[in-house]
Amino acid sequence: MMPRLGAKYQVEIDIVSKPKAEYQTDAYFELDLPVAPAVMVGDEIVVEGADVSEHEVEICVRRQLGLPEPGPREKGMLSRLFKKS
């Protein structure tokens, strides 16, 4: 997800991965960063301790860049095949 958004919007992406124990230290809590796993865009915490969709992250990236929010995400192939008329 992140490489696609990074290429689409030409933004810098930093991925931080540490052993779980390092996220539970006093030094980490003093940094006032979100509990892992988390996604931040700029100073905005998109999600903390849960999964997030690419669409939600894209909305935050566009907001950070001053771009209008994207339209609703397209439904999957099965939803389109079995849509109700």
Side-chain angles (χ1 to χ4, degrees):
M1 162 184 12
M2 296 303 184
R4 283 191 302 267
L5 291 175
K8 186 174 182 179
Y9 294 105
Q10 297 300 310
V11 294
E12 183 179 327
I13 296 173
D14 292 327
I15 298 172
V16 178
S17 178
K18 299 178 183 183
K20 185 177 180 179
E22 286 190 42
Y23 290 110
Q24 298 173 340
T25 64
D26 290 337
Y28 182 79
F29 285 111
E30 289 175 8
L31 296 173
D32 199 30
L33 293 171
V35 176
V39 174
M40 291 180 70
V41 176
D43 292 333
E44 178 182 353
I45 298 172
V46 180
V47 69
E48 182 175 11
D51 288 335
V52 65
S53 72
E54 183 173 339
H55 185 71
E56 290 177 72
V57 175
E58 184 172 10
I59 288 171
C60 293
V61 167
R62 292 180 65 91
R63 187 180 313 127
Q64 188 77 22
L65 296 173
L67 300 171
E69 289 189 9
R73 65 179 151 177
E74 295 180 17
K75 294 184 178 183
M77 185 174 83
L78 289 177
S79 295
R80 289 188 299 242
L81 285 174
F82 297 110
K83 72 177 180 177
K84 295 180 180 178
S85 299

